[in-house]
Amino acid sequence: MKKIIVSLIVIIMFSVNTNSLVYATDGDWVSEAFSAAHKFLNNANITDDTGIISPFFDQFKSIVKGINRILLVLLAGLSMISLSLIGVRYMLSGASPQQKEEAKRNLHTVFIGMAIGFGAYAIWRIAISIVTIIIGSLAQS
């Protein structure tokens, strides 16, 4: 126990006696960093002296947008198809309580899947919008 206390006292003595040097700057590099991020997010002209990065960047952006649209259409299409099939199954079950109960369970499963899929898309869009707003406002200051 004495070793721990002595060690703590020695550490405190050394940390109190050390000088913390702070070098202040004018802050231009912060505004330049945020303006660069703002230009990047707003598809501003990015200077590419070699001409190598710009074509790949534009192609990558279009691929990501295309994949995003395809996944959203697939999610909506699969949701409509599964809801239609479960609705028909429920209507064809007639007076059988077991089939109706299974159709209801399947309907709940489809609704949970739709909530997760569309909820994830909505959260992603909100997060990207917030990041864009924050970087845009910090870039203009």
Side-chain angles (χ1 to χ4, degrees):
M1 186 70 171
K2 287 183 178 181
K3 291 181 181 180
I4 295 173
I5 293 174
V6 170
S7 299
L8 287 174
I9 291 173
V10 169
I11 290 172
I12 291 172
M13 285 175 39
F14 280 121
S15 63
V16 169
N17 290 332
T18 58
N19 290 334
S20 297
L21 300 175
V22 177
Y23 298 101
T25 61
D26 56 358
D28 286 339
W29 66 273
V30 175
S31 61
E32 290 174 6
F34 278 114
S35 64
H38 180 69
K39 288 178 185 176
F40 177 76
L41 288 176
N42 287 335
N43 299 331
N45 294 332
I46 299 171
T47 58
D48 182 18
D49 297 335
T50 60
I52 297 172
I53 297 174
S54 294
F56 290 118
F57 183 70
D58 294 336
Q59 188 175 10
F60 179 73
K61 283 194 308 186
S62 63
I63 288 172
V64 168
K65 286 181 182 179
I67 290 173
N68 187 21
R69 288 182 185 147
I70 289 170
L71 290 176
L72 191 59
V73 168
L74 282 175
L75 179 63
L78 288 174
S79 298
M80 288 188 303
I81 290 170
S82 61
L83 284 175
S84 300
L85 290 176
I86 291 173
V88 168
R89 193 170 172 189
Y90 181 78
M91 288 186 280
L92 292 178
S93 65
S96 174
Q98 293 172 343
Q99 290 179 350
K100 281 188 177 185
E101 186 64 34
E102 186 170 335
K104 285 181 183 179
R105 275 187 277 144
N106 290 341
L107 185 65
H108 288 281
T109 304
V110 169
F111 279 144
I112 290 171
M114 287 173 56
I116 290 172
F118 287 115
Y121 178 76
I123 290 170
W124 178 77
R125 292 293 295 179
I126 290 169
I128 293 298
S129 298
I130 290 171
V131 167
T132 304
I133 289 169
I134 289 172
I135 290 179
S137 66
L138 292 174
Q140 294 173 357
S141 60

